[in-house]
Amino acid sequence: MNLVISSTNNYFNCKGALDKYNIHVFKKQFRNVFRNANAITVSIENLTRIDRHGVHAIAQLQNEALTQNKRLSIIGFGQNDIFTHFKTEEVH
């Protein structure tokens, strides 16, 4: 399934699959996103699938937000893999 990302006022809705086959779409959408915004919200509610490449891409976006002192909010209950990844990151 394809990945479609729609946006309105720094709110981004991800729909479809976020995997190694379309990770380029995600990276292109969020390239330099913090140049024009101090805070963004990314909804993962409509993701049907995510693999380790997708989780890594979201982690990179989080690291970019932290590095630039910006705020990133990830919302949605679809993908436990993401929450498990970030919970593991906090423990270390």
Side-chain angles (χ1 to χ4, degrees):
M1 178 177 225
N2 290 332
L3 175 66
V4 177
I5 303 172
S6 56
S7 65
T8 305
N9 297 332
N10 298 330
Y11 177 88
F12 297 84
N13 185 31
C14 299
K15 183 177 181 179
L18 179 56
D19 56 26
K20 69 179 181 178
Y21 301 107
N22 55 30
I23 200 73
H24 64 281
V25 174
F26 184 87
K27 289 182 176 184
K28 183 178 178 184
Q29 177 72 47
F30 293 104
R31 185 177 299 131
N32 299 319
V33 70
F34 294 114
R35 185 176 292 169
N36 298 322
N38 288 322
I40 66 167
T41 301
V42 178
S43 173
I44 58 167
E45 185 73 28
N46 295 311
L47 283 181
T48 57
R49 175 174 139 57
I50 186 166
D51 67 3
R52 64 184 175 92
H53 300 282
V55 172
H56 184 71
I58 292 173
Q60 286 178 324
L61 186 61
Q62 180 195 32
N63 289 338
E64 183 180 347
L66 291 171
T67 301
Q68 296 185 28
N69 202 25
K70 307 291 181 157
R71 195 171 71 212
L72 170 66
S73 300
I74 301 170
I75 61 171
F77 289 112
Q79 301 297 319
N80 288 333
D81 294 344
I82 294 171
F83 298 111
T84 302
H85 172 80
F86 286 111
K87 189 173 183 180
T88 303
E89 289 287 318
E90 290 176 3
V91 172
H92 291 99

